[in-house]
Amino acid sequence: MRALRLMNWKSDPELVEVPKPTPGPGQVVIKVGGAGACHSDLHLMYDFDGAALPWAPPFTLGHENAGWVDSIGSGVTTVKEGDPVAVYGAWGCGTCGRCRLGVETYCENLAAAPVPGGGGGLGLDGGMADYLLVPAERLLVPLPGNLDAATAAPLTDAGLTPYHAVARSWPKMTPSSIVMVIGVGGLGHLAVQIVKATTAATIIAIDMKADALDLAKRFGADHLVTSGEGAVEAIKDLTGGRGADVVLDFVGSETTINLARASARPLGDVTIVGIAGGVVPFSFFSQPYEVSLQTTYWGSRPELVELFNLAARGLVKAEYTTYSLDDAVKAYHDLHEGKVSGRAVVVP
Ligand code: NAD
Ligand code: ZN
Ligand code: ZN
């Protein structure tokens, strides 16, 4: 079968032939129907050198996957051949307290996890391939009948990550609150929809690309701000001088983190989701009083189920462009050059 593999840090991935996986006891092989291209893969391909990560190439990319059950290992009882499924991408040990709660992003027995702090496409072989080996059936979520695999795939990360970040700040998203979304790409355009579907807050979307702001508008953003000079003043104007109650930063550069905290209302939340690596000084006076500055990583299995509920009801839908597996490198190049609207999804 074909697989798009990252062979080394700081390199383009390569499409190569590899053996089709066979499921061992408790495992499931998925025929991939959609694998999203995440901006994190660009960080993996071009920015990281492995220093911060407990795993390394080579592995097949693609940590945002959905498809159909191709074959099951002995003992698998909850899915059968042909079932449409999405794959929860953070693969923990499955038995520690956090994993039992479904928060496998923070597995506390990493030695027993398939890969420490990763999953398919993050240290182990992912879904940018004809088939994907999933190490345990609990990591599969059945797809609602009205969602096809390519539509579902981006929800497992580009949707789940903002769902988790939004849910963490729900108490501060009252009907009179203002929520600011910085970066309306793969994650950000779903963040706008998730805020819209789950709260009555007013949404300000910020990006530097006109087409990203159009996307935000189409999915329910109330106000649009072009990033850059004047953005903080524009936000102060739009919020009557108060600032935003919750700021979700899907870029994470020094510029956007500073924009985020300069725009926050006292008692608000600033959540850094983007991994651009911005570093800012933090002190008593570096943001308005009692603003919480926090990061979030991906989301939990129960949150993915909740998100599919929203998607099945038509309240959240990823905007995406499909690419063949042969064009997967082009998908990443397009993402790198800012040419993708919403998500790029590889359909083998
Ligand atoms: P993307 O490339 O699809 O979208 C990024 C968007 O941000 C684009 O629309 C771009 O125009 C915009 N942008 C860039 N610089 C900006 C600026 N200075 N001001 C305003 N807008 C700006 O990327 P994505 O796949 O949505 O990922 C976004 C970030 O989130 C990446 O850093 C990615 O690695 C990270 N990420 C984090 C998690 C997590 O769990 N924390 C999960 C997935 C992705
Ligand atoms: Zn990702
Ligand atoms: Zn665990």
Side-chain angles (χ1 to χ4, degrees):
M1 69 167 194
R2 299 164 304 165
L4 185 76
R5 291 175 69 75
L6 184 68
M7 307 304 259
N8 296 292
W9 298 120
K10 299 195 184 284
S11 69
D12 268 336
E14 295 171 28
L15 189 64
V16 295
E17 278 294 319
V18 296
K20 180 183 169 184
T22 46
Q27 300 180 333
V28 179
V29 168
I30 304 300
K31 182 174 165 56
V32 179
C38 180
H39 202 113
S40 296
D41 293 331
L42 296 180
H43 297 312
L44 279 180
M45 285 152 55
Y46 304 131
D47 301 336
F48 294 171
D49 58 9
L53 294 169
W55 34 261
F59 56 85
T60 302
L61 289 171
H63 55 267
E64 200 174 87
N65 306 303
W68 306 271
V69 173
D70 176 72
S71 53
I72 58 174
S74 61
V76 171
T77 58
T78 55
V79 292
K80 59 180 190 317
E81 219 174 280
D83 282 357
V85 289
V87 182
Y88 174 76
W91 297 349
C93 75
T95 55
C96 75
R98 287 275 156 85
C99 283
R100 284 184 193 282
L101 287 172
V103 191
E104 300 206 22
T105 37
Y106 304 123
C107 171
E108 289 176 327
N109 187 7
L110 292 178
V115 61
L122 298 167
L124 286 181
D125 289 341
M128 296 257 170
D130 292 304
Y131 297 91
L132 165 67
L133 177 68
V134 179
E137 59 189 305
R138 70 169 191 282
L139 301 166
L140 300 174
V141 179
L143 287 191
N146 55 350
L147 277 196
D148 62 36
T151 310
L155 296 177
T156 64
D157 176 21
L160 177 59
T161 301
Y163 188 91
H164 176 70
V166 168
R168 191 171 157 117
S169 289
W170 270 334
K172 295 185 184 180
M173 295 186 185
T174 66
S176 60
S177 297
I178 295 182
V179 178
M180 193 169 132
V181 173
I182 304 176
V184 191
L187 274 66
H189 89 289
L190 285 158
V192 168
Q193 298 178 55
I194 292 162
V195 174
K196 199 80 195 171
T198 62
T199 81
T202 298
I203 303 171
I204 303 177
I206 300 177
D207 206 293
M208 55 221 215
K209 293 195 308 178
D211 62 323
L213 292 175
D214 287 347
L215 195 64
K217 178 92 198 154
R218 186 144 59 77
F219 283 124
D222 300 281
H223 303 287
L224 309 175
V225 171
T226 304
S227 66
E229 212 137 305
V232 176
E233 289 67 37
I235 288 143
K236 283 281 147 85
D237 283 350
L238 287 169
T239 58
R242 296 181 331 204
D245 297 83
V246 177
V247 185
L248 305 171
D249 179 359
F250 294 101
V251 180
S253 66
E254 185 182 321
T255 313
T256 56
I257 298 172
N258 281 330
L259 168 67
R261 56 185 186 175
S263 313
R265 185 183 186 188
L267 293 172
D269 280 352
V270 168
T271 305
I272 302 164
V273 184
I275 311 183
V279 176
V280 298
F282 182 69
S283 74
F284 189 87
F285 293 113
S286 59
Q287 52 285 312
Y289 288 129
E290 296 198 35
V291 165
S292 300
L293 199 55
Q294 55 195 2
T295 60
T296 57
Y297 175 57
W298 221 334
S300 70
R301 278 192 280 122
E303 286 168 335
L304 186 57
V305 173
E306 296 267 292
L307 179 59
F308 277 126
N309 182 302
L310 288 180
R313 289 153 62 200
L315 295 171
V316 169
K317 185 179 186 309
E319 169 98 353
Y320 62 89
T321 309
T322 57
Y323 291 75
S324 68
L325 190 50
D326 292 329
D327 278 339
V329 174
K330 179 173 172 2
Y332 282 119
H333 287 169
D334 285 354
L335 182 65
H336 194 49
E337 288 160 25
K339 291 183 187 159
V340 172
S341 179
R343 208 51 153 180
V345 176
V346 170
V347 177

